[in-house]
């Protein structure tokens, strides 16, 4: 029975109708019960107060390794991977992560299967099985995860910051673990890693260190019975939360300038100060206040000045890494080449802004404005998937008192200038750590971080040096931001007299098409507007695509100082290029949304190229394209598959070749041509009335099409663009082999794609059901048993309404040719499992898929994404889920088997496959061998992507019809 049911009033959002209850079981397990009668998914998260800070000396990564192992099996459920299989086959997902102080385990599942899923989950914390065989295999999985991260700059720089700290402090530790720390070194010391793992579990995992969140459709009393019956057997050894006193950075780790070499092109500054953790003063929000000001991007801000000088392209400020005992306040600046040359001036300006904050004092009106914004954001927050919600709340439970488990530190409400001043005083030259990243330091480093091999050098930097930099830095007009005019004050809901459950075509002209759906579900004062600009001249060459990219980025750049205030106030916008033009999206509180939208349209209509900004954005775009060669091999394989399958797409290598010769004048000449023929497709949804939606479209048309000198004219019938996909040859296996882009990356990758059909309701559900049944079996065989690689996944793939299956695997264990063979062996093995599946299992999987399809959208954005995909693809099946459920109810087991035998099984008559094989440095020799193998009668070796693409037939397009005619 529960021994504690302290009546605590948990602070929750104004719009939150869920019920909450805190209980403490007899074994001291603290639990939050959440009842949501409207939910379609149930979820649970167990947060254990044991992380990698607790790793024993010489066994780096043990806590992370335990996280991997706990999922395998338990005494009550001994079948290996049975938990994951059960979750997947009942419409759910599961995952876990290890942080410094905590390890979090979580899952979600369809409502009807929650009790059994919860029982399986609970057993991991009661009597887990850690078999010797599984232990050895999972060490390889941990090592594969480590190899995946080796060339990620974020991981490398994070570990370097830890490395330059007190060796005796747990902050210094290597968190992930690898083959060396979990196998070679322990064996050399005579340690049995499995015994160490079991001992670690027994010593560290105690109910007193655990916090559980259970989210269910049932009422609170029923959830409590469920929890008591399943979790009270967890052992309680009365362990108390581990504390890690002392600062990780002593004087020798402060006042330092660290020059380091990243993997990717670009220059970054990370300016870091140890500060008092905000957790200790979460109601006063000192780091939020300072981050809001130092990270501001409006006129007079640090970023505005750096941007005007052409020295920076982005800036973030706020509490970075945070722990109970210590924390770091970080300012991260992406520098241009010119900014890199003026690094000392950039640092000088940063400290000038900090002095401005010191001299201005802590401003109550700024705190009050920030507090009001945070309160509005909290009260009107969107519902998120239960699995994300339980993780968020469980992670808060150890840190905050029960009444603040939901709100956490997201709503500072107590103005205390002394606390803010205390943190501000820490942002001083004698307390700073500066990390400066650039490829230009490759020849000047003299040290190497041991775990990721990051090259660096370190120098002392005195407070007087920084004072000198401040004195030499430009004398710019830095000042505090003004009041935010975008703060919404009208949260009234617009009740529509008509019940519109699906998007309707509200208006269609030669200029635009308007789809509309008022909010009839979420009762939130928010709206969503997306405008798709279809511009044939924007996508007819690599050069045109680059210019369109430059245009959208410059437009975002021009809008920033005005629209940043809107963003702070909960209005978000984006402008980005697409394969047929560009897209404008505005989402957030509807009260002042139209002001922002009209400003964006005005900027498009009056766009002028500013040469100094063009040069900066061109530099950013060039580095972005150059850095594509450092993408992970699996990302490269995905990219190649899209390039082969999607017509009218251009390779980034051509775009990179075009860039150097482009000047501002080219964009000036291109823009009128791009906009000269344009068609708009809009989707307006949320707390907006029909008349408002029509008025918005009319305003846009007036600005772009009906002015004295119209910027745009409608498309000719022949110009309506289509999204078309290559139709692979029936009965053929297509192969494309390519070397990895980064010679330093040992990983290889495979995309094994099976193309099946063009959008058709009955075929869709057959494919989806097969993918649901096979997904976990593929993961278990290829990842858990064969240990091919950490990234191993079977998923559906849809390209503009063309449906297929896709295996995605990244590996250092085998080359892509061998992995391809393993995929085919899996399909042969799975064939017998599918044919032997019981009728009961078949029905169970069908019901799970039906439950997934009937799952309601959580929020307006999720609903809009679903409907916009239908509009964007041209399929416009807004009742897709209901019609697919109806088809599923008619589907027989034999029809599923016939589908597999006809389209998926090895040697199937109508099977069409495409294998993209990316060869990493470990398998370079196999590249030549595989590429030169004689082609089999039913195989096609793709030598040149574009010659192949031009030679193939295309599926008809759902998109781009004119006058109701499909092309």
């Amino acid at each position: 029975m529960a021994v504690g049911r302290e009546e605590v009033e948990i602070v929750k959002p104004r719009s939150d109708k869920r019920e909450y209850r805190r209980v403490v079981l007899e074994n001291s397990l603290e639990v939050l019960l959440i009842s949501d009668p409207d939910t379609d998914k149930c979820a649970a998260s167990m947060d254990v107060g044991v992380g990698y800070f607790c790793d024993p000396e010489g066994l780096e990564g043990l806590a992370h390794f335990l996280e991997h192992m706990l999922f395998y099996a338990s005494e009550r459920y001994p079948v290996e991977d049975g938990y994951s299989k059960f979750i997947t086959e009942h419409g759910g997902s599961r995952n876990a992560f290890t942080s410094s102080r905590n390890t979090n385990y979580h899952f979600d599942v369809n409502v009807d299967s929650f009790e059994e899923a919860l029982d399986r989950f609970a057993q991991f914390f009661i009597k887990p099985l850690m078999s010797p065989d599984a232990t050895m295999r999972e060490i390889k999985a941990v090592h594969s995860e480590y190899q995946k991260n080796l060339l990620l700059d974020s991981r490398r720089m994070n570990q370097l910051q830890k490395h330059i700290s007190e060796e005796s402090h747990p902050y210094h530790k290597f968190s992930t673990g690898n083959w060396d720390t979990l196998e070679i070194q322990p064996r050399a010391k005579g340690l049995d890693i499995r015994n160490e793992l079991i001992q670690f579990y027994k010593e560290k995992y105690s109910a007193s260190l655990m916090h559980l969140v259970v989210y269910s459709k049932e009422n609170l009393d029923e959830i409590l019975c469920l929890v008591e019956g399943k979790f009270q057997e967890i052992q309680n050894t009365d362990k108390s939360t581990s504390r890690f006193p002392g600062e990780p950075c002593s004087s020798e780790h402060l006042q330092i300038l660290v020059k380091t070499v990243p993997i990717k092109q670009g220059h970054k500054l990370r300016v870091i100060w140890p500060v008092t953790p905000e957790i200790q003063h979460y109601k006063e929000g000192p780091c939020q206040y300072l981050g809001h000001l130092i990270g501001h991007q409006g006129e007079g801000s640090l970023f505005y000045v750096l941007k005007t000088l052409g020295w920076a392209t982005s800036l973030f400020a706020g509490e970075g890494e945070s722990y109970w005992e210590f924390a770091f306040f970080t300012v991260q600046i992406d520098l241009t080449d010119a900014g890199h040359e003026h690094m000392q001036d950039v640092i000088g300006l940063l400290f000038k802004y900090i002095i401005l904050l010191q001299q201005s004092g802590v401003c109550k009106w700024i705190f009050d404005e920030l507090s009001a914004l945070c309160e509005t954001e909290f009260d009107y927050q969107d519902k998120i998937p239960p699995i994300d919600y339980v993780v968020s709340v469980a992670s808060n439970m150890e840190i905050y008192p029960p009444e603040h488990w939901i709100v956490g530190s997201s709503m500072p409400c107590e103005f205390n200038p002394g606390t803010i001043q205390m943190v501000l005083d820490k942002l001083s030259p004698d307390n700073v750590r500066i990390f400066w990243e650039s490829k230009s330091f490759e020849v000047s480093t003299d040290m190497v971080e041991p775990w990721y091999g990051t090259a660096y050098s370190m120098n002392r930097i005195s407070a007087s040096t920084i004072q000198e930099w401040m004195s030499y830095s430009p004398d710019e007009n830095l000042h505090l931001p003004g009041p935010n005019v975008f703060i919404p004050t009208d949260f009234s809901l617009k009740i529509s007299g008509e019940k519109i459950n699906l998007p309707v075509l509200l208006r269609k002209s030669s200029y635009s098409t308007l789809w509309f759906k008022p909010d009839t579900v979420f009762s939130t004062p928010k709206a969503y507007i997306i405008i798709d600009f279809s511009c044939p001249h924007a996508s007819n060459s690599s050069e045109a695509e680059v210019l369109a990219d430059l245009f959208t980025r410059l437009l975002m750049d021009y809008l920033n100082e005005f629209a940043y205030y809107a963003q702070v106030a909960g209005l978000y916008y984006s402008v980005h290029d697409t394969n047929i033009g560009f897209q404008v999206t505005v989402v957030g509180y509807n009260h002042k949304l139209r002001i922002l939208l009209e400003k964006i349209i005005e900027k498009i209509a009056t766009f002028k190229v500013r040469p100094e900004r063009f040069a900066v954005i061109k530099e950013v775009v060039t580095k972005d394209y150059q850095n594509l060669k450092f993408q992970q091999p699996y990302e490269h394989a995905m990219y190649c598959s899209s390039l082969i399958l999607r017509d009218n797409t251009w390779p980034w290598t051509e775009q990179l070749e075009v860039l150097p010769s482009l000047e501002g004048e080219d964009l000036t000449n291109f823009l009128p041509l791009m906009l000269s023929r344009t068609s708009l497709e809009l989707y307006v949804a949320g707390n907006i009335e029909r008349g408002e939606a029509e008025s918005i479209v009319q305003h846009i048309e007036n600005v772009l099409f009906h002015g004295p000198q119209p910027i745009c004219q409608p498309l000719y019938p022949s110009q309506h663009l289509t999204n078309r996909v290559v139709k692979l040859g029936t009965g053929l296996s297509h192969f494309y082999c390519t070397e990895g882009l980064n010679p330093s990356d040992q990983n290889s990758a495979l995309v094994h794609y099976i193309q099946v059909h063009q959008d058709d309701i009955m075929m869709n559900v057959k494919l989806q059901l097969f993918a649901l049944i096979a997904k976990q079996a593929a993961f278990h065989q290829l990842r858990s048993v064969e240990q091919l690689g950490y990234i191993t996944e079977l998923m559906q793939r849809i390209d503009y309404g063309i449906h297929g299956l896709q295996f995605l695997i990244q590996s250092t264990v085998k080359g892509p040719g061998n992995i391809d063979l393993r995929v085919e062996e899996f399909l042969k093995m799975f064939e017998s499992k599918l044919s032997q599946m019981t009728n009961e299992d078949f029905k169970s999987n069908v019901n799970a898929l039906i439950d997934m399809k009937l799952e309601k959208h959580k929020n307006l954005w999720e609903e809009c994404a679903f409907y916009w995909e239908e509009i964007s693809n041209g399929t416009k099946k807004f009742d897709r889920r209901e019609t697919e459920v109806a088809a599923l109810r008619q589907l027989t087991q034999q029809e599923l088997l016939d589908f597999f035998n006809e389209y998926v099984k090895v040697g199937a008559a109508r099977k069409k496959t495409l294998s993209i094989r990316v060869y990493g440095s470990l398998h370079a020799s196999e590249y030549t061998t595989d590429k030169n193998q004689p082609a089999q009668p039913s195989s096609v070796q793709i030598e040149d992507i574009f010659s192949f693409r031009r030679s193939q037939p295309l599926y008809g397009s759902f998109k781009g019809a004119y006058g109701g005619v499909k092309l």
Side-chain angles (χ1 to χ4, degrees):
M1 293 293 293
V3 296
R5 182 179 156 185
E6 180 186 338
E7 291 298 334
V8 175
E9 186 175 346
I10 294 173
V11 178
K12 65 179 188 178
R14 183 184 303 178
S15 55
D16 190 352
K17 296 180 176 61
R18 293 169 289 207
E19 292 186 339
Y20 299 84
R21 182 187 296 169
R22 170 191 179 264
V23 296
V24 182
L25 303 187
E26 283 184 345
N27 59 359
S28 297
L29 175 65
E30 198 168 19
V31 187
L32 180 65
L33 313 175
I34 306 177
S35 172
D36 181 2
D38 295 327
T39 191
D40 300 304
K41 280 270 176 74
C42 295
S45 173
M46 179 72 87
D47 198 78
V48 185
V50 177
Y52 68 82
F53 275 11
C54 296
D55 285 344
E57 196 65 38
L59 287 172
E60 291 86 356
L62 193 65
H64 177 226
F65 181 36
L66 176 58
E67 171 228 302
H68 275 241
M69 285 301 301
L70 221 58
F71 273 157
Y72 264 87
S74 62
E75 286 189 15
R76 184 177 294 181
Y77 300 100
V79 176
E80 189 177 291
D81 236 29
Y83 162 73
S84 299
K85 182 174 184 289
F86 181 87
I87 294 290
T88 303
E89 290 181 353
H90 292 86
S93 58
R94 85 291 176 276
N95 213 330
F97 61 85
T98 305
S99 66
S100 59
R101 299 283 301 267
N102 305 76
T103 305
N104 189 288
Y105 304 85
H106 47 275
F107 76 92
D108 68 355
V109 75
N110 290 340
V111 170
D112 293 345
S113 308
F114 186 51
E115 183 170 356
E116 183 176 345
L118 197 65
D119 194 58
R120 290 171 178 270
F121 183 70
Q123 289 303 308
F124 297 135
F125 307 100
I126 298 169
K127 289 186 176 178
L129 285 181
M130 303 189 211
S131 71
D133 181 47
T135 302
M136 289 310 299
R137 281 189 273 116
E138 206 57 27
I139 291 175
K140 294 176 182 176
V142 170
H143 186 68
S144 178
E145 184 177 356
Y146 164 70
Q147 288 178 306
K148 173 184 75 72
N149 297 330
L150 268 175
L151 299 178
L152 295 180
D153 280 327
S154 57
R155 293 274 185 164
R156 293 164 68 87
M157 297 310 160
N158 181 260
Q159 190 62 47
L160 179 60
Q161 289 166 36
K162 294 177 182 180
H163 179 65
I164 304 174
S165 67
E166 286 290 342
E167 288 188 28
S168 59
H169 197 283
Y171 178 72
H172 185 81
K173 289 185 175 182
F174 168 51
S175 61
T176 310
N178 59 20
W179 184 256
D180 187 49
T181 68
L182 297 173
E183 169 58 19
I184 295 175
Q185 289 184 28
R187 190 177 292 276
K189 296 173 185 174
L191 299 177
D192 182 309
I193 193 66
R194 180 169 174 266
N195 289 342
E196 296 297 321
L197 191 70
I198 293 169
Q199 188 67 24
F200 184 80
Y201 174 81
K202 287 180 177 177
E203 286 183 2
K204 301 292 185 182
Y205 273 46
S206 169
S208 59
L209 293 178
M210 297 181 184
H211 294 89
L212 174 67
V213 181
V214 179
Y215 190 115
S216 176
K217 199 180 186 75
E218 310 302 327
N219 66 47
L220 292 172
D221 290 335
E222 290 170 319
I223 304 172
L224 177 57
C225 289
L226 203 62
V227 167
E228 286 178 328
K230 300 190 184 305
F231 290 91
Q232 60 189 359
E233 291 181 50
I234 296 176
Q235 182 184 14
N236 177 26
T237 59
D238 288 323
K239 289 278 184 186
S240 55
T241 303
S242 298
R243 295 296 180 200
F244 304 96
E247 290 288 336
C249 298
S250 63
S251 58
E252 67 178 289
H253 308 115
L254 301 174
Q255 291 186 278
I256 55 171
L257 172 61
V258 180
K259 296 179 181 178
T260 178
V261 182
I263 297 296
K264 292 187 173 183
Q265 296 288 345
H267 321 285
K268 267 186 175 50
L269 270 177
R270 286 184 173 88
V271 187
I272 301 168
W273 297 267
V275 295
T276 304
E278 180 140 313
I279 296 166
Q280 298 179 16
H281 302 278
Y282 68 93
K283 291 183 183 178
E284 298 150 324
C287 288
Q288 282 196 68
Y289 176 91
L290 294 171
H292 170 68
L293 293 176
I294 299 173
H296 209 280
Q297 297 186 14
E299 188 180 351
S301 67
L302 172 64
F303 178 70
Y304 179 84
V305 168
L306 293 176
K307 177 182 154 181
T308 303
L309 291 166
W311 292 350
T313 57
S314 75
L315 186 150
F316 160 84
E319 191 177 48
E321 293 178 276
S322 177
Y323 309 85
W324 181 260
E325 298 87 356
F326 65 94
F328 296 99
F329 189 93
T330 300
V331 176
Q332 180 176 309
I333 306 171
D334 286 324
L335 300 173
T336 62
D337 291 345
H340 177 64
E341 296 299 320
H342 287 86
M343 183 279 279
Q344 296 177 1
D345 293 319
V346 173
I347 297 290
L349 283 165
L350 168 59
F351 277 98
K352 274 186 175 179
Y353 194 84
I354 291 169
I355 287 175
L356 169 67
L357 296 181
Q358 292 277 12
Q359 293 171 343
S360 303
V362 180
C363 299
K364 187 174 189 303
W365 77 265
I366 292 178
F367 180 88
D368 289 344
E369 184 180 272
L370 180 62
S371 179
L373 287 168
C374 290
E375 184 176 359
T376 298
E377 186 177 355
F378 179 72
D379 275 338
Y380 294 100
Q381 65 183 266
D382 298 308
K383 216 172 180 183
I384 60 176
I387 191 170
D388 298 328
Y389 194 62
V390 295
V391 170
S392 170
V393 177
S395 300
N396 280 347
M397 287 172 70
E398 185 188 328
I399 301 170
Y400 303 100
E403 61 268 26
H404 294 142
W405 279 349
I406 296 171
V407 66
S409 60
S410 66
M411 200 163 64
C413 54
E414 295 180 3
F415 180 60
N416 188 333
T419 303
I420 297 172
Q421 189 64 49
M422 174 185 69
V423 176
L424 180 57
D425 290 343
K426 295 276 189 181
L427 309 187
S428 66
D430 54 11
N431 193 43
V432 75
R433 290 155 57 89
I434 301 173
F435 290 80
W436 186 11
E437 301 169 33
S438 176
K439 287 274 198 183
S440 66
F441 299 139
E442 282 178 319
V443 295
S444 59
T445 57
D446 55 3
M447 288 182 275
V448 176
E449 188 279 318
W451 298 112
Y452 289 85
T454 307
Y456 72 99
S457 63
M458 187 167 69
N459 300 102
R460 306 298 302 175
I461 179 168
S462 67
S464 60
T465 300
I466 291 178
Q467 292 287 348
E468 191 177 329
W469 292 353
M470 288 169 61
S471 66
Y472 288 138
S473 64
D475 189 17
E476 297 292 333
N477 182 26
L478 293 165
H479 59 81
L480 298 181
N484 193 334
V485 297
F486 279 101
I487 295 176
T489 54
D490 181 0
F491 301 105
S492 59
L493 299 180
K494 301 174 181 182
I495 309 300
S496 174
E498 50 190 343
K499 193 74 172 173
I500 302 176
N501 294 319
L502 298 174
V504 294
L505 182 59
L506 198 58
R507 166 179 163 149
K508 185 172 178 63
S509 70
S510 59
Y511 311 106
S512 66
T513 304
L514 169 61
W515 298 92
F516 172 67
K517 185 187 178 300
D519 177 18
T520 57
V521 179
F522 306 107
S523 300
T524 181
K526 298 178 181 180
Y528 179 107
I529 298 176
I530 189 164
I531 311 167
D532 211 38
F533 286 73
S534 179
C535 310
H537 294 294
S539 58
N540 58 14
S541 68
S542 291
E543 183 175 353
E545 284 215 338
V546 172
L547 287 166
D549 188 9
L550 287 165
F551 161 68
T552 58
R553 297 208 205 195
L554 272 170
L555 186 59
M556 287 287 286
D557 183 73
Y558 293 175
L559 286 164
N560 191 60
E561 52 259 30
F562 169 83
Y564 181 76
Y565 283 94
Q567 189 175 314
V568 169
L571 267 180
Y572 303 96
Y573 69 100
S574 73
V575 187
H576 64 89
D577 63 313
T578 66
N579 64 316
I580 60 169
F582 65 99
Q583 199 171 93
V584 174
T585 307
V586 185
V587 301
Y589 301 110
N590 58 276
H591 181 203
K592 299 183 179 180
L593 179 144
R594 185 161 178 175
I595 299 171
L596 177 60
L597 178 62
E598 291 185 359
K599 186 70 173 181
I600 294 171
I601 299 302
E602 178 198 324
K603 284 283 186 183
I604 293 171
T606 59
F607 186 89
K608 295 283 187 293
V609 177
R610 302 180 200 162
E612 75 285 356
R613 295 312 300 162
F614 178 88
V616 169
I617 298 302
K618 177 184 171 182
E619 181 187 317
V620 171
V621 172
T622 301
K623 286 173 183 169
D624 283 351
Y625 283 127
Q626 289 171 338
N627 284 330
L628 287 172
K629 65 176 175 285
F630 299 114
Q631 63 188 327
Q632 296 232 3
Y634 79 90
E635 295 172 315
H636 181 45
M638 290 284 287
Y639 168 78
C640 289
S641 67
S642 293
L643 202 58
I644 288 171
L645 290 170
R646 297 184 174 191
D647 191 37
N648 201 37
T649 52
W650 310 97
W652 66 266
T653 47
E654 285 184 11
Q655 292 165 338
L656 183 59
E657 194 176 319
V658 162
L659 263 165
S661 62
L662 293 180
E663 300 297 339
E665 188 180 348
D666 297 301
L667 183 56
T668 299
N669 295 333
F670 169 77
L671 193 60
L673 176 66
M674 180 180 80
L675 293 173
S676 63
R677 293 287 171 181
T678 302
S679 175
L680 308 180
E681 188 154 36
L682 300 92
Y683 180 55
V684 178
N687 197 36
I688 284 187
E689 294 169 333
R690 175 189 289 256
E692 285 181 274
E694 292 178 312
S695 171
I696 286 168
V697 176
Q698 188 60 59
H699 173 79
I700 295 170
E701 286 187 4
N702 288 342
V703 172
L704 299 178
F705 292 93
H706 302 316
Q709 294 181 308
I711 299 156
C712 307
Q713 294 183 46
L715 298 185
Y716 291 118
S718 62
Q719 287 183 300
H720 284 262
L721 296 168
T722 60
N723 295 323
R724 304 192 68 180
V725 175
V726 166
K727 192 173 191 176
L728 297 175
T730 302
L732 297 178
S733 298
H734 305 79
F735 301 92
Y736 178 70
C737 301
T738 183
E739 292 179 288
L741 296 168
N742 182 3
S744 301
D745 201 327
Q746 297 181 335
N747 289 283
S748 293
L750 170 78
V751 164
H752 182 99
Y753 168 68
I754 303 169
Q755 190 177 73
V756 182
H757 68 283
Q758 190 168 31
D759 191 45
D760 171 88
I761 294 298
M762 183 54 81
M763 286 290 286
N764 293 352
V765 300
K766 291 176 184 177
L767 178 67
Q768 291 160 9
L769 185 59
F770 173 78
L772 175 66
I773 295 169
K775 180 182 175 71
Q776 186 57 35
F779 180 86
H780 178 63
Q781 180 62 33
L782 301 174
R783 155 74 148 74
S784 301
V785 176
E786 299 187 28
Q787 286 295 320
L788 292 180
Y790 181 76
I791 297 174
T792 301
E793 193 169 357
L794 168 62
M795 67 191 88
Q796 297 175 70
R797 173 171 177 157
I798 304 175
D799 297 89
Y800 306 136
I802 310 305
H803 295 242
L805 281 167
Q806 180 170 275
F807 290 85
L808 178 64
I809 301 171
Q810 182 166 292
S811 178
T812 55
V813 178
K814 290 184 183 294
N818 284 317
I819 300 173
D820 222 349
L821 295 175
R822 299 315 308 156
V823 168
E824 297 213 331
E825 283 303 312
F826 164 75
L827 288 172
K828 290 175 185 175
M829 179 190 73
F830 193 71
E831 182 179 347
S832 61
K833 287 190 176 182
L834 194 64
S835 61
Q836 293 164 16
M837 183 172 57
T838 65
N839 188 50
E840 183 183 351
D841 281 345
F842 172 76
K843 286 183 176 176
S844 174
N845 280 290
V846 167
N847 289 334
L849 186 54
I850 287 173
D851 286 345
M852 292 165 69
K853 288 189 172 298
L854 293 179
E855 190 177 333
K856 297 185 288 288
H857 296 123
K858 312 292 179 305
N859 52 57
L860 180 64
W861 324 129
E862 203 175 281
E863 180 189 85
C864 289
F866 176 83
Y867 290 132
W868 176 251
E869 186 174 8
E870 294 292 333
I871 294 167
S872 181
N873 284 337
T875 45
K876 302 185 180 75
K877 292 177 180 171
F878 300 129
D879 61 348
R880 175 180 298 278
R881 298 193 303 179
E882 292 76 14
T883 54
E884 288 186 347
V885 164
L888 269 171
R889 296 192 196 281
Q890 302 299 316
L891 185 65
T892 67
Q893 190 168 349
Q894 187 58 50
E895 286 175 317
L896 179 65
L897 279 170
D898 292 343
F899 167 82
F900 174 80
N901 291 329
E902 194 171 355
Y903 293 98
V904 180
K905 72 177 280 187
V906 176
R910 300 182 68 178
K911 187 170 184 178
K912 302 181 287 186
T913 64
L914 170 64
S915 290
I916 309 294
R917 301 172 176 179
V918 177
Y919 294 77
S921 59
L922 278 182
H923 307 110
S925 60
E926 296 177 30
Y927 169 69
T928 307
T929 306
D930 290 359
K931 196 171 171 62
N932 294 328
Q933 276 188 347
Q936 300 300 311
S938 60
S939 68
V940 177
Q941 177 92 291
I942 300 172
E943 298 287 347
D944 177 77
I945 287 177
F946 306 102
S947 297
F948 171 77
R949 203 169 72 184
R950 283 190 293 268
S951 70
Q952 298 302 299
L954 302 174
Y955 280 100
S957 175
F958 291 104
K959 185 79 173 173
Y962 184 80
V965 179
K966 282 186 182 177
L967 300 177

